[in-house]
Structures are given as structure tokens and as C-alpha cells.
Amino acid sequence: MTSSDRLLDLIQTTPEIDLLLRSSFGFDIHRKHNGDGLRLASGASLEAIAGESAGGVYFLCSEQNGRRPVVFASSEGEGGLLADDLADALEIIIGLEWRDCLSFSGGGDVEVIQISAQHLERSRDKYNPDIDNEAARVATALSLRIVPVTDLVIRLQAAASKTEPAYVVTDDDGQALDPPFGEHVEPRHGGWR
């Protein structure tokens, strides 16, 4: 059993953690049906392991050096590498508004992502004041670390930067999904509030 299999099994057999991941962090192991037909540009298949409410899907790639990298494909047609293994991916998922950080990354600039992460963390805390406690409960149950946001941003940017060429996601027709980095530095209407 790989470490990814062990983590997924633990999530499945711990209803409270399954619910927290689904409701607070957008990682739903029961919603993985949207990934049909997606694969890596190399032709390698992807194993759908979870989805999120907007239709995006998390995938495990084939094992490499004892680890199974995690790729995410959004319903908006973006995709790429999230982390080198599931434990790293889950630490990013519970510690960072990672999708919005990538959307407002100025094309992948780590300093822009750091600024976005700070704004998004304040917003996340405002809308869910218990989010840090929920992240801690998930981390404890799954033997994950609570990593500072600045470190998570560095990890996320480094992983997403490795999307090309090995982790480019393609659709049924062989068309590559858009890269994970958005060009904007902040939301268009009103900026960060």
C-alpha cells in the first residue's frame, strides 16, 4: 500500500475528516467522476481520487521514486501539477487558497502569489473563523504538517512550474489544458478588499 493509498483509506474511514475536507477544503473523495478522458500529454493515464464542487478533479499520476505526484484539472480548462505526492498536496489544500493563488499569480511570479495568499488568507479567516482549527484537525488525523503560508506558496509555485512538459493534462481530443498560472495580479473589479 502506497502512502497515497493509506491517506485515501484513512479519509474514507474517518467520516469527520472526510466531511471537513469536502466542506471546508474542496477535496471530496466521493466526487471524482468528472475526470473521464483526461490524461497526461505523454499518454500516461491519471487516477481520479477526488473532486471539488466547481467540477475540478484531483488525480494521482504513476509512481515515481516511491511517490505519486498529484495533478489538478479545473472545469474551466486549466490543469497542472499541484504537488509531488498526496501528503504535500493535502498540506497545500488545507493551508492555502491555492486555486485563487494560482489565478492571481501574475503569470507565476512567486512574489505576486505571496501577496495574493495574504489577501486570500484574511478573506478565508473572515468567512470561516474556525478554518485554522479545522485544518489542524485534518492535519492531526492524517499525520500532516501545518505549514506556514509563505512556505506553502513556494511549494505550490515550484510544483506548478514543473507542469511542463511532464504534467501537461490533455482532454479526450488530445488538447492540452491551459497552464495553472493566471496572468492577473488581483481581482479585476475592485481589487483586493
Side-chain angles (χ1 to χ4, degrees):
M1 179 179 275
T2 68
S3 62
S4 298
D5 293 332
R6 185 186 60 75
L7 280 170
L8 291 168
D9 186 55
L10 199 52
I11 293 166
Q12 189 150 0
T13 59
T14 313
E16 176 191 3
I17 300 306
D18 179 15
L19 179 61
L20 279 175
L21 282 168
R22 183 176 348 133
S23 62
S24 295
F25 302 105
F27 186 86
D28 184 351
I29 62 170
H30 308 284
R31 187 191 291 257
K32 49 190 168 188
H33 57 275
N34 290 338
D36 295 341
L38 296 180
R39 57 189 333 91
L40 293 179
S42 67
S45 62
L46 295 168
E47 177 188 347
I49 56 167
E52 47 94 41
S53 61
V57 182
Y58 296 90
F59 297 96
L60 285 177
C61 300
S62 298
E63 188 173 330
Q64 299 173 9
N65 302 321
R67 302 176 87 172
R68 294 191 68 190
V70 176
V71 168
F72 179 81
S74 78
S75 60
E76 292 86 30
E78 299 141 350
L81 185 65
L82 175 58
D84 290 330
D85 67 17
L86 184 55
D88 285 352
L90 287 168
E91 288 174 357
I92 289 170
I93 290 165
I94 67 171
L96 188 64
E97 293 292 327
W98 69 272
R99 288 202 54 210
D100 287 336
C101 284
L102 290 178
S103 293
F104 303 110
S105 70
D109 184 316
V110 73
E111 291 178 23
V112 172
I113 301 171
Q114 292 286 6
I115 292 166
S116 295
Q118 292 169 11
H119 289 289
L120 291 161
E121 185 177 27
R122 282 194 295 274
S123 176
R124 181 172 100 154
D125 291 344
K126 178 181 173 185
Y127 291 106
N128 185 352
D130 202 34
I131 195 78
D132 290 335
N133 290 330
E134 292 173 348
R137 289 200 325 253
V138 170
T140 298
L142 301 180
S143 299
L144 303 173
R145 297 168 292 159
I146 296 294
V147 179
V149 168
T150 53
D151 294 344
L152 290 174
V153 166
I154 291 167
R155 285 170 41 184
L156 175 64
Q157 194 272 347
S161 293
K162 294 189 303 187
T163 293
E164 291 187 37
Y167 300 101
V168 172
V169 180
T170 61
D171 63 17
D172 295 10
D173 300 322
Q175 296 294 320
L177 300 188
D178 291 334
F181 295 120
E183 294 299 320
H184 300 292
V185 296
E186 63 183 32
R188 288 187 222 173
H189 303 289
W192 296 115
R193 295 176 190 234

